[in-house]
Amino acid sequence: MRVPAPKNTSLPPIPLDQCLAKSFKKSDGTVLPGRLVLNHCQIVGEVARAMISRMPDWLRTELFPAGSELIAAAHDIGKVSPTFQKKIYSALSIKDEQVLSSLKEFNAESEKLWGGHGGVSQATFDTLNPGSFVAEILGQHHGFSPNLAVYTGSSAVFGAKTWQDQRLELLAQLRECLGTENFPVVRNGLQARVLAGLTTVSDWIGSGSLFEDPSSDWRPRIEQALDNAGYVHPTVIPGLSFSEVFSDGIADFPPRETQLKLIEATTQAGIYVLEAPMGLGKTEAALYAAYQLLEKKLATGIYFALPTQLTSDKIHERVNAFLNRILADESLHKKALLVHGNAWLKFEMGEEGNPGGAWFAQGKRGILAPFAVGTVDQALMAVMNVKHGFVRTFGLAGKVVILDEVHSYDSFTGTILDELVKALRQLQCTVIILSATLTQERRNKLLDIKSTSTAYPLITALPNTSELSEIDVTSIPDAFVSITHHQDADAIEGALIRAEAGQQVLWIENTVNEAQEIFRRLSANAQGLNVSCGLLHSRFTKMDRASNENVWVTHYGKAGAETRRQQGRILVGTQVLEQSLDIDADFLVSRIAPTDMLLQRMGRLWRHSETQRPSSAQREAWILSPNLDSGIANPELAFGASAKVYAPYVLCRSLAVWQNLAQVRLPGQIRELIEATYAKQVESADMAKHFHQLEKTRSKLERFAMIGLSRNGITPSEENAQTRHSEIETTEVLLIRAYQPDRKNHGTVVTFLSGERMLIPHNGRSMTRQRWRETSASLTQSTLKVAEHLAPKPIIREQITWLGDYFYLGKPEYYEESVMLRIALVADDESLVGLAGEPVNDKYQLSYNATQGYVAKKK
């Protein structure tokens, strides 16, 4: 798209007292003029100043130098431009024909060529030389770097010199209003990312509902806006012991030696690695270490990073219970606790944090809250060239960041993770890395320093101001697990026999399709037996998954003593069952997987010593595996779908380690088994070929990771950012039973899968803010993520504009983003159809029910 330059480049600019930054929509849909650019920029500068004043001295001194608020204030100077003013005046319900006539030569649609008003802000400052990184920070405040290859501040499309002079006059007035003359000195790119995050978040908060009405006095509302956003330092109860924080009211829980040594070692910002077996209480040790730092005001919050989206929501309940114990009653965060469930609806993050905004999704918002549990992907994007990556950088600064289950990352994620850990140290974070199965080589890469100990359990501490220390812990008594290898038919019979005898059986597959198929076979064979079968995986709607987990975790958890005795059960699932769920099985069946995954799964076997088990129960694990020679000769055939999830070379190496084991000692053999699987060795013939393929893939993934980490090139959206090895893109799918436009009430009536009906107003602002957020949350509960090739066909934005106030549908005016949301109706026969009843996928027959979840069968 080539934009012709305006014929008359000497047109006078609109006076500053008419340059609009905002419009606002009333409940009846009327669009009125909002804040002026000067007014809005001053608000955002004061929000930034107030945010910085709430930070601890040690963080403010290191990352937020004097003058940082001026960067935030200057972010929207580019709105003093003819294209932006034409766009905003054209959107008003009552047109100002005089203003629009003065702008008739300009094309508002052309803004996307230079990244909108953010591009004009950057071009304006490029001519001023305000110091390293400042212009780039201003250009990025909508989440991506603008394309300014052929533009300068005085370009004709920006209004030429007359409009540039007007923007410089605005800057002079901002300096006077704020009493800040100079921009800060920005030392490096990481600090620039933090300041870019400060600018963007201040803009969001300064664009919130408290500041919408231009006739109201904004000055008294700054502190209230920060409180509403949850930007308040948490108040913790001092002097709590480990037992006081974690006791369940029935038994006292003094810390174990391993826990105590981690707690004693974690005294300041730095990197701390805890390697210990499954079920030892690594999570509690990390949380109590975090509590001590919060108590001493050496941390600003906690971000608990889980390995994947497959991880159970149950970890939120554990962290919530911890927060409930440590937070004082008067602490704002005591009321909302984690940014999870509906608690996050209590905080207002301003414009982009509204329903339908880019940052409304709970997984994104969490990283800005003082306390959150989320995926590691959200943290990894803090060091990646992705839209709003720098908001995550800002959100993590000064926190305790707990990285759980680090052993499970592939080389792609591992490369980015190493960069993240380095960045977190510079951001004055305390990084606590938890792992049951970390190789020594992986530990060294994470620490970026050579460690030598082979002890297990082991604590490795690298405080910011001290030397590396490796802390041995007394070894833990071993338990013996019987190991045998089987085929599917044998395992189905063995599982049913044990369940019929009252045992609680756990069966873990590597893919959702395999888990669904095994569940169907087991359920069919269990007819007439006093055996209950269940299924857990990632392809349930959020509502159904939470409901299923509550049922099955109760049966298999500490609270299930009574229900265990009622009947035998078989719980089938995927990797979600191997991490973060506190479940205790009598008997385990697992598809062959990398050694670290197998060990994690065995951590769910006979987990609690106090559990009463049927007399027939033995501590045994059956591994579903092919013959090793077959696996080496043709891994795709022998391992099936597992070879698409895990590298065939690693599967073969793992099978070689496990095939002749009759039993394993846990935790005594954990390090031995891990190192035997991953140690480098000379390979021959087919294994050398598989190893070469692994290295080739690893090299490609590392290149992808470095591209993602680079600061140049196109900035992908967050949804398109790859943080882990997957050739398969995923997308969000909304499943509903029916929908019906309701013109009388200006909305659409949606029927959910439960049968509940709800009116979805087309104008979300016609409701109270709280009701608007709750409506969006209700819709979100009916979503799930699936591989793109298994999803319903893409839908054009115009067909689902009625959802635009509840889901982020992209902003094509600034950035070429496709609509990530897919939508389908679930028919009476459980099949998925399009909004008009049409087929939704050419290659797969799709269906959904609350028992099996989202099912995709090839046509």
Side-chain angles (χ1 to χ4, degrees):
M1 176 180 177
R2 185 177 175 274
V3 180
K7 296 173 186 175
N8 186 353
T9 59
S10 61
L11 290 169
I14 297 174
L16 286 179
D17 61 6
Q18 287 185 266
C19 281
L20 294 176
K22 300 286 179 183
S23 59
F24 75 101
K25 187 190 287 188
K26 296 178 67 177
S27 59
D28 64 0
T30 304
V31 181
L32 299 176
R35 297 275 177 188
L36 298 173
V37 178
L38 173 61
N39 202 210
H40 170 64
C41 286
Q42 190 180 355
I43 290 169
V44 172
E46 293 294 353
V47 168
R49 175 180 277 160
M51 289 181 82
I52 294 169
S53 72
R54 294 188 179 199
M55 295 173 185
D57 290 343
W58 50 266
L59 187 61
R60 188 165 57 239
T61 302
E62 187 65 29
L63 295 174
F64 300 95
S68 297
E69 69 276 6
L70 185 57
I71 294 180
H75 75 290
D76 265 355
I77 275 180
K79 286 185 175 178
V80 179
S81 59
T83 48
F84 181 84
Q85 291 303 312
K86 183 171 184 178
K87 180 173 70 174
I88 197 167
Y89 270 98
S90 297
L92 300 179
S93 296
I94 301 174
K95 309 298 184 195
D96 187 323
E97 297 300 342
Q98 185 177 353
V99 169
L100 289 172
S101 176
S102 72
L103 300 170
K104 64 183 178 183
E105 291 199 28
F106 293 93
N107 177 9
E109 290 296 310
S110 62
E111 273 203 314
K112 66 177 67 175
L113 292 177
W114 53 80
H117 62 271
V120 184
S121 293
Q122 181 169 333
T124 298
F125 277 81
D126 276 338
T127 65
L128 298 181
N129 295 318
S132 299
F133 303 106
V134 173
E136 289 84 353
I137 292 171
L138 297 174
Q140 287 181 359
H141 75 270
H142 276 290
F144 55 89
S145 298
N147 176 17
L148 295 175
V150 296
Y151 304 106
T152 67
S154 297
S155 289
V157 289
F158 298 164
K161 185 177 184 301
T162 54
W163 283 81
Q164 173 75 346
D165 290 344
Q166 190 82 306
R167 291 189 284 273
L168 299 183
E169 171 58 24
L170 173 60
L171 176 60
Q173 292 189 31
L174 282 175
R175 282 176 155 143
E176 184 177 345
C177 291
L178 291 171
T180 304
E181 182 61 29
N182 297 319
F183 286 99
V185 175
V186 185
R187 296 190 309 271
N188 53 51
L190 185 64
Q191 187 181 25
R193 286 176 73 81
V194 175
L195 293 174
L198 169 74
T199 299
T200 295
V201 174
S202 299
D203 182 27
W204 292 347
I205 295 173
S207 303
S209 59
L210 288 174
F211 305 108
E212 276 186 344
D213 185 352
S215 65
S216 65
D217 184 5
W218 55 267
R219 288 171 180 81
R221 301 186 175 193
I222 298 289
E223 300 298 331
Q224 182 187 349
L226 291 180
D227 290 349
N228 288 357
Y231 201 80
V232 179
H233 194 75
T235 306
V236 300
I237 302 168
L240 294 173
S241 68
F242 186 92
S243 296
E244 287 172 319
V245 172
F246 296 111
S247 67
D248 59 6
I250 301 170
D252 200 28
F253 285 111
R256 298 176 181 177
E257 182 196 7
T258 307
Q259 294 172 320
L260 190 59
K261 288 195 173 182
L262 175 73
I263 291 163
E264 290 171 347
T266 312
T267 57
Q268 59 168 284
I271 309 173
Y272 304 87
V273 182
L274 171 57
E275 297 172 76
M278 302 69 69
L280 192 75
K282 295 188 290 294
T283 297
E284 286 72 20
L287 289 173
Y288 191 78
Y291 159 70
Q292 288 195 328
L293 293 171
L294 286 167
E295 182 189 13
K296 295 170 186 171
K297 300 197 182 323
L298 295 177
T300 58
I302 301 171
Y303 186 73
F304 199 109
L306 297 163
T308 72
Q309 292 171 336
L310 297 175
T311 309
S312 162
D313 286 348
K314 285 295 171 184
I315 189 69
H316 293 86
E317 294 177 11
R318 292 167 67 186
V319 180
N320 247 345
F322 159 77
L323 293 174
N324 204 37
R325 293 284 178 89
I326 70 161
L327 290 175
D329 288 340
E330 67 271 17
S331 180
L332 172 73
H333 306 287
K334 180 88 169 195
K335 299 187 183 80
L337 295 183
L338 277 185
V339 179
H340 186 69
N342 289 327
W344 54 295
L345 300 176
K346 297 180 186 294
F347 297 125
E348 184 186 338
M349 277 305 305
E351 187 175 29
E352 290 293 339
N354 280 333
W359 205 261
F360 184 70
Q362 164 200 324
K364 299 178 189 177
R365 289 163 61 101
I367 213 160
L368 288 174
F371 302 109
V373 172
T375 65
V376 74
D377 304 62
Q378 290 295 329
L380 292 172
M381 283 190 262
V383 292
M384 293 181 69
N385 177 36
V386 297
K387 187 180 178 188
H388 289 139
F390 49 78
V391 173
R392 296 169 173 85
T393 316
F394 170 75
L396 291 173
K399 285 181 177 164
V400 178
V401 179
I402 300 170
L403 302 173
D404 196 20
E405 312 283 12
V406 169
H407 59 266
S408 60
Y409 302 119
D410 57 32
S411 57
F412 180 61
T413 304
T415 301
I416 310 171
L417 191 69
D418 298 343
E419 291 296 320
L420 173 65
V421 171
K422 287 178 195 172
L424 292 175
R425 288 195 76 183
Q426 296 178 60
L427 295 172
Q428 304 304 298
C429 294
T430 302
V431 187
I432 302 177
I433 298 170
L434 306 178
S435 179
T437 52
L438 202 64
T439 64
Q440 187 172 352
E441 180 185 13
R442 191 74 196 91
R443 185 204 318 149
N444 291 345
K445 282 189 175 180
L446 285 164
L447 292 165
D448 199 25
I449 193 171
K450 186 171 177 60
S451 59
T452 58
S453 178
T454 58
Y456 192 88
L458 177 67
I459 294 156
T460 312
L462 186 60
N464 279 0
T465 62
S466 301
E467 298 294 316
L468 176 80
S469 62
E470 297 178 276
I471 305 162
D472 293 357
V473 181
T474 306
S475 60
I476 297 163
D478 284 329
F480 290 85
V481 179
S482 168
I483 304 293
T484 49
H485 294 259
H486 295 268
Q487 300 303 306
D488 290 13
D490 291 344
I492 287 172
E493 183 180 353
L496 287 167
I497 289 170
R498 284 161 178 77
E500 196 174 12
Q503 292 187 40
Q504 311 298 301
V505 176
L506 192 61
W507 186 309
I508 303 181
E509 290 286 347
N510 295 329
T511 69
V512 173
N513 287 350
E514 287 177 315
Q516 289 171 329
E517 177 59 29
I518 287 294
F519 170 78
R520 286 190 285 267
R521 292 173 65 183
L522 284 165
S523 296
N525 283 282
Q527 296 294 319
L529 307 177
N530 185 28
V531 171
S532 177
C533 296
L535 180 63
L536 281 180
H537 54 70
S538 60
R539 277 198 229 148
F540 286 99
T541 64
K542 289 181 171 64
M543 180 177 288
D544 286 342
R545 179 169 165 181
S547 175
N548 289 343
E549 282 188 2
N550 282 334
V551 169
W552 287 94
V553 171
T554 298
H555 291 323
Y556 279 64
K558 284 184 178 179
E562 191 61 39
T563 63
R564 284 181 93 99
R565 291 193 286 269
Q566 294 172 1
Q567 65 177 158
R569 297 177 180 85
I570 305 174
L571 175 57
V572 182
T574 55
Q575 291 88 339
V576 67
L577 297 176
E578 76 192 29
Q579 47 203 18
S580 302
L581 276 177
D582 186 16
I583 52 180
D584 180 358
D586 299 318
F587 174 62
L588 173 69
V589 179
S590 171
R591 186 74 55 188
I592 184 68
T595 293
D596 27 2
M597 308 296 113
L598 291 175
L599 290 169
Q600 278 295 124
R601 295 171 187 185
M602 288 175 195
R604 305 300 179 251
L605 187 62
W606 287 48
R607 189 174 178 89
H608 303 305
S609 57
E610 66 273 20
T611 300
Q612 293 186 357
R613 307 181 194 279
S615 58
S616 62
Q618 300 177 44
R619 200 187 300 248
E620 55 181 334
W622 285 15
I623 298 175
L624 304 173
S625 62
N627 172 274
L628 178 58
D629 290 339
S630 301
I632 293 172
N634 192 337
E636 287 74 19
L637 179 63
F639 293 113
S642 296
K644 295 181 180 177
V645 179
Y646 302 115
Y649 178 76
V650 177
L651 287 174
C652 291
R653 285 288 301 268
S654 299
L655 182 53
V657 168
W658 288 88
Q659 67 172 347
N660 295 319
L661 291 175
Q663 65 177 19
V664 293
R665 291 181 294 105
L666 300 179
Q669 277 185 275
I670 286 179
R671 189 165 314 277
E672 172 193 329
L673 293 169
I674 286 291
E675 296 293 351
T677 301
Y678 292 104
K680 291 177 180 173
Q681 64 183 34
V682 177
E683 303 286 6
S684 57
D686 286 337
M687 281 296 282
K689 183 180 72 175
H690 300 325
F691 177 71
H692 174 71
Q693 185 58 46
L694 174 66
E695 288 298 293
K696 186 176 169 185
T697 304
R698 196 202 310 271
S699 176
K700 182 178 84 169
L701 295 176
E702 288 186 349
R703 286 198 304 275
F704 281 167
M706 298 316 295
I707 291 168
L709 289 167
S710 73
R711 302 290 174 262
N712 303 316
I714 296 171
T715 304
S717 70
E718 300 126 303
E719 286 74 15
N720 288 329
Q722 281 193 309
T723 57
R724 62 186 68 252
H725 169 35
S726 174
E727 298 292 335
I728 303 170
E729 296 286 348
T730 61
T731 190
E732 188 173 26
V733 179
L734 171 65
L735 297 179
I736 56 177
R737 188 71 66 188
Y739 79 110
Q740 180 67 44
D742 184 343
R743 291 181 176 83
K744 180 182 176 184
N745 292 303
H746 308 290
T748 296
V749 176
V750 167
T751 304
F752 293 108
L753 301 189
S754 63
E756 177 192 358
R757 301 174 83 240
M758 178 183 285
L759 174 68
I760 310 298
H762 293 169
N763 178 12
R765 290 167 178 80
S766 66
M767 300 180 278
T768 65
R769 295 279 165 158
Q770 184 68 13
R771 181 64 187 147
W772 185 15
R773 295 186 198 117
E774 287 171 353
T775 301
S776 182
S778 295
L779 287 163
T780 301
Q781 287 296 301
S782 294
T783 64
L784 70 161
K785 278 201 168 183
V786 300
E788 198 165 287
H789 71 284
L790 300 179
K793 294 175 183 177
I795 200 160
I796 60 172
R797 188 179 274 101
E798 288 68 28
Q799 283 185 275
I800 53 172
T801 51
W802 56 277
L803 287 170
D805 273 0
Y806 306 94
F807 290 94
Y808 182 62
L809 301 181
K811 287 191 175 178
E813 69 269 25
Y814 289 144
Y815 192 80
E816 295 297 341
E817 287 181 300
S818 58
V819 178
M820 298 303 295
L821 181 71
R822 310 288 176 90
I823 183 170
L825 306 180
V826 181
D828 291 340
D829 64 357
E830 300 179 346
S831 65
L832 301 194
V833 296
L835 296 180
E838 74 279 13
V840 289
N841 192 298
D842 294 334
K843 295 183 179 179
Y844 290 87
Q845 182 64 49
L846 305 179
S847 62
Y848 184 87
N849 63 64
T851 305
Q852 293 188 52
Y854 190 98
V855 179
K857 292 184 177 178
K858 226 167 191 179
K859 290 182 177 177

